[in-house]
């Protein structure tokens, strides 16, 4: 699946990392050149600097062949414009948009090209599930088209993985860590990262069960 994500804030980066780990082709767009430069080499997705409200920029980023566009900027007006362009000008099959201000929720519907309107407080996995149109859930989420599960595990003070490097944890075959959420911020997984209590890991796997993931970390 080819996915365009507008907005490289915390939410946009988290979505990009999970969908990329699930072997989707992901492009992340942000208007802030410095933010894009900061993410270079940190996320395994294509990065595009520019205003996603501009049709030319969306076309350059691949909107003509996108299967899904997700507008996750912190500005509702921008998310609506991006959604409308994606649906009306580029005929993107599925468009999801973040609603930052609940008072604006009534605008986020088919008239503005929005298939899925997601309140800002919606959990990450629920947002991905709704945006991708996944129809079955295993663990946190099953991405049906990619044939993979997204599984979350939390590191507690009692976890046997505490203090160990991520690279030292033996993962089930076909399993990768998509992101580590630490202190509310997503971090790019690195084999040298020492796991701490409070870390939340999102893993993508083709075959591992929740029990196998639990056994690896807990």
């Amino acid at each position: 699946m080819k996915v365009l994500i507008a907005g490289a804030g915390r939410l946009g980066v988290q979505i990009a990392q999970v969908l990329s780990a699930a072997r989707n082709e992901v492009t992340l767009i942000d208007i802030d050149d410095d933010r894009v430069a900061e993410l270079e080499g940190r996320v395994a997705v294509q990065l595009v600097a520019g205003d996603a409200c501009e049709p030319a920029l969306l076309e350059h980023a691949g909107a003509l062949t996108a299967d899904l566009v997700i507008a996750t900027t912190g500005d509702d007006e921008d998310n609506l414009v991006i959604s409308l362009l994606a649906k009306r000008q580029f005929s993107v099959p599925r468009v999801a948009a973040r609603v930052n201000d609940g008072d604006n929720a009534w605008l986020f519907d088919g008239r503005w090209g929005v298939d899925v309107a997601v309140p800002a407080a919606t959990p990450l996995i629920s947002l991905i599930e709704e945006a991708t149109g996944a129809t079955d859930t295993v663990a946190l989420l099953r991405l049906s088209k990619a044939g993979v599960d997204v599984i979350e595990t939390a590191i507690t003070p009692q976890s046997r993985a505490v203090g160990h490097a991520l690279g030292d944890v033996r993962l089930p075959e076909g399993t990768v860590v998509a992101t580590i959420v630490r202190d509310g911020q997503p971090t790019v997984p690195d084999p040298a990262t020492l796991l701490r209590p409070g870390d939340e890991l999102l893993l993508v796997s083709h075959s591992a069960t929740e029990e196998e993931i639990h056994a690896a970390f807990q």
Side-chain angles (χ1 to χ4, degrees), residues 160-185:
R160 66 176 182 172
V162 166
H164 290 272
L166 180 61
D168 292 337
V169 178
R170 190 170 181 178
L171 297 176
E173 184 176 354
T175 301
V176 297
V177 178
T179 187
I180 301 174
V181 180
R182 176 173 290 174
D183 298 326
Q185 297 293 327

Side-chain angles (χ1 to χ4, degrees), residues 131-143:
T132 58
T135 56
D136 54 332
T137 301
V138 178
L140 287 179
L141 169 69
R142 180 169 180 81
L143 300 178

Side-chain angles (χ1 to χ4, degrees), residues 3 7 14 16 22 28 30 44 52 59 65 70 104-105 107-108 110 121 126 134 146 151 157-158 165 174 187:
V3 184
Q14 286 181 313
L28 186 57
D30 200 89
E59 183 172 354
T65 55
I70 306 177
N104 296 329
L107 290 167
F108 286 72
S126 296
I151 302 172
Q158 292 73 41
T187 61

Side-chain angles (χ1 to χ4, degrees), residues 91-155:
S91 300
V92 176
R94 193 165 184 84
V95 178
R98 178 185 186 183
V99 184
N100 296 283
D101 185 342
D103 290 341
N104 296 329
W106 65 277
L107 290 167
F108 286 72
D109 59 20
R111 293 170 298 174
W112 280 93
V114 178
D115 296 307
V116 179
V118 186
T122 300
L124 170 66
I125 294 302
S126 296
L127 188 155
I128 296 174
E129 182 176 12
E130 289 193 48
T132 58
T135 56
D136 54 332
T137 301
V138 178
L140 287 179
L141 169 69
R142 180 169 180 81
L143 300 178
S144 303
K145 290 185 178 180
V148 298
D149 296 333
V150 179
I151 302 172
E152 179 186 38
T153 190
I155 304 300

Side-chain angles (χ1 to χ4, degrees), residues 153-164 180-184 193-201 217-218:
T153 190
I155 304 300
T156 70
Q158 292 73 41
S159 299
R160 66 176 182 172
V162 166
H164 290 272
I180 301 174
V181 180
R182 176 173 290 174
D183 298 326
T193 299
L194 296 179
L195 296 173
R196 305 175 186 171
D199 287 349
E200 297 178 16
L201 283 66
F217 290 95
Q218 310 300 336

